[in-house]
Amino acid sequence: MLKVDSLTAGYGDLQVLWGVTITVNPGELVAIVGPNGAGKSTLMNTLSGLVDQLGGEILFHLENINQHPAERRVGLGIVQCPEGRKLFPEMSVEENLKIGAYLCTDKPEVKRRLADVYSIFPKLEQRASQIVSTMSGGEQQMVAIGRSMMSGPKLLLLDEPSLGLAPIMVSEMFQAIEAIRKTGTTILIVEQNVLQTLEIADRAYVLENGKITLEGPGKALLQNPHMRQAYLGLH
């Protein structure tokens, strides 16, 4: 579904990604893990068309999308749930969710997507009219992921979905991600919670200093000596 070959990207004169190559197959959950400042969010934002691509190639369903603006990529089905949620705080839950379906003019389809979101996040249906700014961080993260689902993603990019959440909400979030995956949605996730992420990932890449340094099945990487020492505090 997604093939990224020798991708370089950055901000002005600052290059952050150095020859990143990854693939994501239909139906997979693929993880990108690594330390702070490694370039994980830059990679997601480059795939979304929000950061300048300096070189390399991005293919989505074999179509070269190097020059596609962000809105065209959303139309193709590449949908990002950004780090920090980026919600409309003084709007209700349902209003925020429906904004995610702004490209869909088929009203029955919007209703179907909303029902799908509520089936994954029943709490949001109960809170449909609640103003988002009055919700907890975990509940707001549910709204952010739900809004992304309303765009009808073929490839869902999740950027740090558990960041800043209480442990019980982190567990709920990972259960929700697995539920989304079971709907057939392909997921690429950037996440600092390495242990739980690799437990559910089909495959994973380790990004360090803007370069891929390790790759393999998620559970196999949990046994890698470098991963155990550097990210899990184990020996």
Side-chain angles (χ1 to χ4, degrees):
M1 179 180 282
L2 178 74
K3 183 177 181 183
V4 178
D5 188 26
S6 304
L7 180 68
T8 57
Y11 309 86
D13 294 332
L14 176 64
Q15 185 170 334
V16 178
L17 300 179
W18 301 79
V20 170
T21 296
I22 66 170
T23 58
V24 181
N25 299 312
E28 278 191 317
L29 192 157
V30 176
I32 309 286
V33 298
N36 277 334
K40 302 186 302 295
S41 289
T42 299
L43 173 58
M44 298 296 248
N45 288 332
T46 305
L47 297 177
S48 296
L50 302 173
V51 169
D52 289 340
Q53 181 178 338
L54 304 176
E57 190 171 58
I58 303 173
L59 298 177
F60 185 63
H61 288 298
L62 303 180
E63 177 183 349
N64 185 309
I65 63 169
N66 288 8
Q67 303 302 320
H68 288 11
E71 62 271 19
R72 188 169 173 195
R73 298 184 193 203
V74 173
L76 289 174
I78 301 172
V79 178
Q80 182 175 1
C81 181
E83 181 183 350
R85 301 188 278 273
K86 308 287 195 299
L87 298 171
F88 293 91
E90 299 313 313
M91 295 170 65
S92 72
V93 168
E94 193 154 301
E95 286 169 336
N96 269 277
L97 292 175
K98 286 182 175 177
I99 284 170
Y102 75 99
L103 284 178
C104 183
T105 56
D106 181 347
K107 287 186 178 179
E109 173 63 14
V110 173
K111 284 186 72 172
R112 188 192 65 77
R113 292 181 188 179
L114 195 59
D116 287 346
V117 169
Y118 286 153
S119 72
I120 293 169
F121 299 110
K123 192 177 288 185
L124 297 187
E125 186 169 20
Q126 298 162 16
R127 310 274 185 89
S129 60
Q130 184 170 341
I131 299 301
V132 162
S133 62
T134 66
M135 305 179 85
S136 71
E139 291 164 347
Q140 289 187 25
Q141 187 63 56
M142 292 177 186
V143 177
I145 294 176
R147 179 183 60 186
S148 301
M149 293 300 295
M150 290 293 292
S151 298
K154 293 184 175 73
L155 174 64
L156 179 61
L157 307 178
L158 293 176
D159 194 353
E160 301 285 10
S162 78
L163 187 67
L165 301 187
I168 190 166
M169 289 305 303
V170 171
S171 179
E172 276 191 43
M173 198 57 59
F174 277 93
Q175 288 173 15
I177 290 166
E178 290 210 80
I180 292 167
R181 176 221 211 143
K182 286 175 182 172
T183 68
T185 303
T186 305
I187 299 172
L188 179 64
I189 182 172
V190 157
E191 179 54 65
Q192 285 194 311
N193 192 320
V194 173
L195 180 60
Q196 282 186 269
T197 304
L198 294 184
E199 284 282 359
I200 66 169
D202 295 301
R203 293 184 301 108
Y205 296 89
V206 181
L207 187 65
E208 298 174 320
N209 299 313
K211 298 177 181 177
I212 300 294
T213 56
L214 279 172
E215 62 180 278
K219 289 184 177 173
L221 284 183
L222 281 173
Q223 304 307 316
N224 180 278
H226 171 68
M227 292 297 294
R228 290 174 66 81
Q229 187 168 0
Y231 297 100
L232 303 174
L234 303 171
H235 297 283

